[in-house]
Amino acid sequence: MSLGAAELLERIRALDLPEKVRIMNVCGGHERSITQAGLRNALPPAIELIPGPGCPVCVCPEEDVYQAIQLAMNEDLTLATFGDMLRVPVNVRKTEVRSLEQAKAAGADVVPVASPQEVVALARANPDRRVVFFAAGFETTTAPVAAMMAQGVPDNLLLLLSGRLTWPAVSMLLNSGEVGFDALIAPGHVGTVMGPEEWEFVVEEHNVPAAIAGFDSDSLLAAIYSVLRQLQSGKPALDNCYTRVVQPGGNPTARRFLSQVMEVTDATWRGIGTIPASGFSLRDVYAAHDARKLLPDYGDAARRRVGEMPAGCDCAQVVLGRIYPDQCRIFGAACTPRTPVGPCMVSDEGACRIWWSSGKRTRVEQAAE
């Protein structure tokens, strides 16, 4: 019988813990659940829960957002994208259009959507107009996009893909020599699609305790308790604490669509750089729907801070779990949800936005004054 949150908290509090235990939760959805449920305050002070690189909006290359903006502004087309992408700023002069939201306000045909099905319906309703779907996301978002392509789309629908895999960023951190965590909570939704096996490398190659968790307090606390017990015993193992959804091998249909439509490539992560084998691109058989091959490339290497975070923004360090959101130099000052400077303050899965929305409104230094 599974334990409830109250009993799990009692068991965690009863553990003989070291002075500090750092547990990284990879997923932005996990960070939202942890913060909204107040788990940091409920857990013993020795336990640090560190937000990790699980926000696809935050790591979407600045160059890709810029390309989407320029296509919307300069080409005769409709650009559709998930709502979170509309407010992500790029590095241009303040007098220029800096986001898809501003492009829309300037007259560009930009449409927020919630699913690939909406994009297909939009393209079918406008057969004489090109529709470009700017799709950024991790495996759980990219799999439905792959299914959309595999099942057939209208001739006028093009895809500007910015898909990423989750685990390579964690692998990069573990191989960096600057590992900032003692245990890992892996994302349940990614495990649902790809299977738990993707995370076995954390234990087998790095001897770091790991557990897969869902998004309620019971599952998260079960995963935290599991990795703490693993640390105590000195016997790391990958523990699946989301068995009602995450099964060995993942979702075979979703994985089949991904394999059929996409190939894995080296990919750029905003503010971080290129991570090997961490991105998805369309296979050549779908070239007739690849916006990167069919539409002009508006990349401008002369732009200031191309590909980087905006000046003063420490979002990349937040994404990598090296600082907390309120340790960013501009958190709660220049950067707020109403005036976001970096992508971590834009997305509902961005750690900065989550912390702000849950009441953390100032930097550590300001709060201590």
Side-chain angles (χ1 to χ4, degrees), residues 226-258:
S226 173
V227 297
L228 291 172
R229 291 288 303 275
Q230 293 176 46
L231 284 167
Q232 275 195 330
S233 68
K235 297 178 180 179
L238 177 64
D239 190 6
N240 182 3
C241 299
Y242 200 30
T243 54
R244 69 179 184 271
V245 175
V246 178
Q247 300 296 321
N251 184 315
T253 303
R255 295 190 67 171
R256 185 177 71 252
F257 283 139
L258 281 170

Side-chain angles (χ1 to χ4, degrees), residues 8 70 92 114 281 286 333:
L8 284 163
Q70 297 308 310
V92 296
S281 64
Y286 294 95

Side-chain angles (χ1 to χ4, degrees), residues 24 99 167:
M24 175 175 279
S99 69
W167 70 264

Side-chain angles (χ1 to χ4, degrees), residues 308-337:
E308 300 178 14
M309 294 297 176
C313 172
D314 297 318
C315 184
Q317 296 303 304
V318 173
V319 166
L320 292 173
R322 291 175 177 156
I323 64 172
Y324 287 110
D326 59 346
Q327 292 175 310
C328 173
R329 291 167 288 174
I330 57 175
F331 177 87
C335 189
T336 70

